[in-house]
Amino acid sequence: MSEMSNDFDNDTEWSRDSASNQPLPMAYMDDAGVGRINFKGRMIEDRDWYSLCQLLQRLFMRANINCMKMADLIIAQNFLGSVIYQCETDGNGSDIESDIFEDSIVFGVITMLNMTSEKDIPCVQQLRTFIMQSAEKYATEDVLKKFSDILNDTSRPVGYLINERLVNIPADISIDLLENLQAEIMTAQQKGMEFDFAYYLIIIKLHCREAKNGKPKEDFYTSAEEEFFAQKAINSFVYSMIDDSDVGMSGDWFGGEDAPPPYRKVLLFEADQIPNILDELREKIQEIK
């Protein structure tokens, strides 16, 4: 694990929306003493196994993918990637690092799995099968062929980029850790490890509200940066999660009978374009602020 992995902080003050009881980012700490929580990235450790399983399960829901074995695989290569955790501050801006906060649930994970060199590992086989079965059902013939060609070309490896975190954690920390992951991948390549990718594959969460009563179709992305990723993909397709949806597991911020139904979008990128995409994304995030 490179030293950079422990250096990223994202200090965000949080309150709660009384209507939805969801955490919302606050620009300041008010006189009532709203608590301040810092989100940080750190090396993936054995104690993160259960949280990793939960994060993966929220993504795949009832798909035939062994999330427990995938969590094992992520931990086995913990020289790559980071988890997002929280720590308190002492009121003076410095962090309180304690076992209480270190051992609590992690709020996200960013890492990479090699879908080509590890294609015979059962959970990776399941992932590949699931993607192709979903593409056969939901993608156009042209997109299906492109996914099939890319996933089956062993001379041009595909990395599965995992970028999962709980709702309402700002995109900034994700960008920092994705950039750090790129540095870690380069280090792994220099050591002769099989992380020289031609393509990256990402699966993102979104909700889609169909056009109705004169209103256009609307897409709602779970993580702010993923709408930008979707715009930059060289190939993609969307598959429905309506039959698999479970409010308790999905972690979605929509509720009620009128909630837009959940979907997933599978994206493909040329690996050498990711640094430029992240640079452009950081600029856009700064403009929004």
Side-chain angles (χ1 to χ4, degrees):
M1 186 76 172
S2 66
E3 292 181 356
M4 289 184 294
S5 296
N6 296 318
D7 293 340
F8 293 118
D9 292 5
N10 189 358
D11 298 347
T12 306
E13 295 149 5
W14 296 85
S15 178
R16 283 194 174 271
D17 174 29
S18 59
S20 64
N21 199 36
Q22 292 288 345
L24 298 173
M26 302 294 289
Y28 57 90
M29 183 179 291
D30 63 23
D31 294 337
V34 174
R36 175 171 172 153
I37 299 173
N38 289 351
F39 289 98
K40 289 187 171 185
R42 64 159 170 79
M43 182 177 179
I44 300 168
E45 300 177 359
D46 289 351
R47 59 182 167 170
D48 301 322
W49 182 85
Y50 181 77
S51 291
L52 292 175
C53 291
Q54 292 292 303
L55 287 164
L56 293 169
Q57 190 64 48
R58 294 163 76 95
L59 175 66
F60 294 118
M61 303 297 286
R62 298 188 178 98
N64 182 30
I65 297 172
N66 191 325
C67 295
M68 294 183 289
K69 292 299 183 182
M70 189 171 287
D72 287 341
L73 190 57
I74 291 170
I75 290 171
Q77 58 167 46
N78 67 352
F79 56 87
L80 205 67
S82 307
V83 292
I84 299 169
Y85 75 104
Q86 72 175 53
C87 62
E88 278 192 335
T89 63
D90 60 8
N92 297 314
S94 60
D95 296 331
I96 301 172
E97 303 285 356
S98 70
D99 289 340
I100 294 176
F101 287 92
E102 286 280 332
D103 288 337
S104 63
I105 185 173
V106 299
F107 289 78
V109 60
I110 292 175
T111 190
M112 181 79 68
L113 296 179
N114 193 325
M115 294 184 67
T116 303
S117 68
E118 297 173 344
K119 61 185 176 63
D120 294 327
I121 296 176
C123 64
V124 178
Q125 280 184 332
Q126 291 171 339
L127 174 63
R128 291 169 62 94
T129 298
F130 174 74
I131 289 170
M132 291 311 304
Q133 288 177 344
S134 299
E136 289 170 2
K137 184 175 181 180
Y138 293 100
T140 64
E141 289 187 12
D142 182 56
V143 169
L144 171 62
K145 184 178 185 306
K146 289 177 180 176
F147 268 83
S148 178
D149 290 346
I150 287 172
L151 286 177
N152 290 314
D153 183 358
T154 57
S155 68
R156 293 175 61 76
V158 178
Y160 170 38
L161 177 56
I162 301 173
N163 177 41
E164 283 300 309
R165 67 180 186 277
L166 300 186
V167 172
N168 285 329
I169 295 179
D172 303 58
I173 192 168
S174 178
I175 300 169
D176 287 339
L177 295 179
L178 285 167
E179 290 175 343
N180 187 55
L181 178 63
Q182 292 298 302
E184 291 172 337
I185 290 172
M186 291 180 64
T187 299
Q189 292 173 1
Q190 292 166 3
K191 294 180 178 179
M193 299 180 184
E194 295 182 316
F195 289 100
D196 188 9
F197 299 111
Y199 299 97
Y200 288 164
L201 181 146
I202 309 177
I203 304 173
I204 64 175
K205 300 193 293 289
L206 73 158
H207 289 252
C208 301
R209 179 176 285 137
E210 298 301 326
K212 188 177 181 181
N213 298 328
K215 295 182 179 179
K217 179 179 180 293
E218 294 180 276
D219 293 340
F220 305 90
Y221 289 81
T222 301
S223 297
E225 73 277 11
E226 292 183 338
E227 181 174 7
F228 184 78
F229 288 158
Q231 296 169 0
K232 296 294 184 178
I234 61 170
N235 269 295
S236 66
F237 68 89
V238 176
Y239 64 90
S240 173
M241 298 293 292
I242 294 173
D243 294 336
D244 293 345
S245 181
D246 180 281
V247 174
M249 279 300 301
S250 67
D252 297 321
W253 66 98
F254 293 107
E257 294 181 358
D258 296 329
Y263 289 82
R264 301 290 184 264
K265 183 176 285 190
V266 186
L267 312 175
L268 274 175
F269 300 87
E270 293 179 344
D272 59 6
Q273 292 302 306
I274 290 294
N276 293 334
I277 290 173
L278 292 177
D279 286 344
E280 190 175 343
L281 176 59
R282 184 178 290 281
E283 290 180 5
K284 289 189 175 294
I285 293 294
Q286 294 302 320
E287 290 173 4
I288 293 173
K289 288 184 172 183

